[in-house]
Amino acid sequence: MAKYNITEKKEKEAAYRSMVNPQLMDDMKERILNIIVMQKKYKDKDYSAKKLAEDLGTNTRYISAVVNVRFHMNYTSFVNKFRIEEAMTILVDKRYQSLSMEEVSDMVGFANRQSFYASFFKFMNMTPRDYRLQHLERHPSQKVKKSKKK
């Protein structure tokens, strides 16, 4: 029962990865984390590896090498990881219970609901809707009571 057509990635070793100085890689890792996480650039749908490279004064190949070696994933998975973590918080937050999946997807930086669902499923092995429902089953006190309209 394979959902979302996700296949395992084959590990391949690019020669340029081993040519980068480990000290420079550690420095670049911290700078990448600062921009992506601390400045919350992961929420920006249009913030690409190219823009990150420009902000860091380097090229996308170098960004790719650092993310692959230091975080053991590609750039897209790296950014999506932070988006999914934030989405998980939003999905179980009482204040956001009325938001649709499209709205949550938009808040955390996904371009569309389909990529949100596919990424969420890849990281959590369940859909965002299932995650929200499962959390509410475990913590029924967090259910928001729907007010009746007159």
Side-chain angles (χ1 to χ4, degrees), residues 102-135:
E102 286 83 0
E103 291 167 319
V104 173
S105 168
D106 193 54
M107 280 177 74
V108 299
F110 282 97
N112 57 59
R113 190 179 69 89
Q114 288 79 10
S115 59
F116 173 52
Y117 264 71
S119 293
F120 198 98
F121 194 87
K122 179 181 173 190
F123 281 96
M124 299 303 299
N125 210 26
M126 67 174 69
T127 67
R129 183 179 179 282
D130 290 342
Y131 179 81
R132 179 184 265 172
L133 293 172
Q134 192 175 78
H135 180 81

